[in-house]
Amino acid sequence: LPSIRELVGNEDVQWASPGNPESLANAIIAIASDIPRAAAMGARFYELSARYTWQERGRRVKSVLSNVTGNFR
C-alpha cells in the first residue's frame, strides 16, 4: 500500500507480500516472537494515529486557510 508506506518506515511495520499466506504467517511470527519490538510498534502507531483524527485534520485545514486568507476563523 503506497499511501501507508509514505507514513511509516520499515522499523514501524512488519511487511508481508499481498496474497502470500506464507509471507503473512512469517510476519506474524516475527512480531509475536519479538515482544519489545511489537510494543514499540504499537506505541509508535498510537502516536501516529493522533495526527490523523478528524479534529487534527480540521485544525490543519483551518491553519492552511488562515495562512492563505490571513483571518479564517
Side-chain angles (χ1 to χ4, degrees):
L1 298 167
S3 59
I4 292 177
R5 288 183 186 270
E6 292 177 12
L7 301 176
V8 298
N10 287 332
E11 68 280 355
D12 298 321
V13 297
Q14 182 67 48
W15 297 108
S17 299
N20 184 333
E22 184 177 348
S23 177
L24 179 58
N26 289 336
I28 292 169
I29 290 167
I31 293 169
S33 64
D34 189 347
I35 299 304
R37 180 175 177 231
M41 289 168 61
R44 171 79 175 114
F45 273 108
Y46 183 79
E47 287 178 23
L48 185 64
S49 70
R51 297 190 334 203
Y52 296 97
T53 64
W54 284 111
Q55 184 175 4
E56 181 59 21
R57 286 180 179 265
R59 186 196 65 73
R60 284 189 277 169
V61 168
K62 181 179 176 182
S63 176
V64 168
L65 292 174
S66 181
N67 287 337
V68 170
T69 65
N71 63 357
F72 186 80
R73 293 186 193 266

